[in-house]
Amino acid sequence: MQQFIIGREGTQRFPIADAKTRVSRKHASLTITDDGRWILEDLDSANGTYIINEQGEMQEVKRMVIHEFTRIVLGDQTKMGCTFLAHHLLEENPNDYREEFRYVLELHDKAIEEKTRIDQMQQRTANFRYIPPIISALCGLVLTFLLPPDVKPYGIYVTLIFTTLLTVVINKKTSNSKEMQRFNACYSKLLLCPHCGKPLTEIEFKNQMCNACQARA
Ligand SMILES: [Zn+2]
């Protein structure tokens, strides 16, 4: 078993400056059990202990089993608080973010895969949108050449109503924008610099370095 008390006077290897006033002296503890479970516990801190969950939301922790790369937030995510990935507690060298960058990069690659999947689905379903105008055009032809003049106006109304309804239904069924929004909302909260927590740009991912705090892989 391995245990860290985290705080301005904690036993963690990386320093937490006194200026980080939202962090208590002994803020939280992290225990790694012999069977490899990571247990985060709040030590009655003044401003609370949180994690960022898989939906990218801040979630308060009293006692919780987390995983190695869970983002922990002490107090809040401002400069007065402190945020880091649980793994950082194990780094001998506090400036070493290689493992953490590797993890965030993995998340990033998964996100790109997921985005490609949503894009492909959108492209496939986009073809259905041609159906209503095609039906409309066919009906137009039938109405013009085959129907007797006294029935034609009704035919036009029926066609109009039918194709409009069909357009609405197809647009609703094929619209993935909600899925895309959910995706963006979730990943924008997870694809962050392991050190300072700033969202990383594509260039920063490519360079594996955060321009804001200079943390690098
Ligand atoms: Zn950073």
Side-chain angles (χ1 to χ4, degrees), residues 4-205:
F4 298 93
I5 304 293
I6 316 162
R8 285 185 287 128
E9 291 173 12
T11 60
Q12 80 282 348
R13 292 185 186 110
F14 54 89
I16 299 178
D18 271 340
K20 293 188 175 285
T21 50
R22 303 278 299 166
V23 183
S24 296
R25 284 194 287 264
K26 291 184 167 60
H27 195 108
S29 73
L30 184 102
T31 309
I32 305 171
T33 63
D34 290 336
D35 57 354
R37 286 188 313 148
W38 292 54
I39 301 164
L40 178 66
E41 201 163 349
D42 179 71
L43 300 177
D44 284 329
S45 65
N47 298 302
T49 300
Y50 305 84
I51 58 137
I52 305 295
N53 65 21
E54 280 174 14
Q55 285 73 47
E57 294 152 353
M58 232 164 79
Q59 189 177 340
E60 188 163 14
V61 172
K62 289 298 169 202
R63 185 176 192 277
M64 189 189 276
V65 177
I66 60 171
H67 66 86
E68 188 176 344
F69 290 98
T70 300
R71 177 169 288 281
I72 298 173
V73 179
L74 308 178
D76 58 33
Q77 295 191 78
T78 67
K79 282 197 166 105
M80 317 280 257
C82 180
T83 173
F84 56 92
L85 301 187
H87 171 88
H88 206 57
L89 291 163
L90 294 183
E91 290 294 352
E92 296 285 343
N93 173 2
N95 295 323
D96 189 346
Y97 288 97
R98 271 175 301 178
E99 284 286 321
E100 290 150 88
F101 262 103
R102 192 175 305 153
Y103 172 76
V104 180
L105 202 65
E106 242 171 57
L107 267 191
H108 169 265
D109 291 349
K110 252 190 238 162
I112 296 288
E113 256 172 47
E114 176 76 3
K115 193 172 183 309
T116 313
R117 190 188 65 80
I118 296 174
D119 278 345
Q120 280 171 348
M121 205 162 71
Q122 240 157 5
Q123 270 168 13
R124 267 202 303 276
T125 53
N127 293 332
F128 288 111
R129 295 181 189 197
Y130 296 120
I131 293 175
I134 290 173
I135 291 182
S136 180
L138 288 176
C139 287
L141 279 176
V142 172
L143 287 170
T144 311
F145 294 109
L146 298 180
L147 284 188
D150 50 334
V151 198
K152 256 180 213 176
Y154 301 108
I156 292 171
Y157 294 140
V158 171
T159 309
L160 266 178
I161 292 171
F162 175 70
T163 49
T164 308
L165 284 177
L166 198 63
T167 308
V168 171
V169 171
I170 285 179
N171 279 346
K172 222 173 157 56
K173 290 270 180 213
T174 58
S175 161
N176 294 320
S177 59
K178 263 204 192 116
E179 194 174 351
M180 202 48 131
Q181 272 169 10
R182 208 169 38 237
F183 166 85
N184 285 333
C186 182
Y187 276 95
S188 66
K189 291 180 201 156
L190 293 173
L191 298 178
L192 309 174
C193 165
H195 178 38
C196 67
K198 180 192 86 76
L200 292 175
T201 64
E202 282 303 313
I203 293 171
E204 287 170 310
F205 270 112

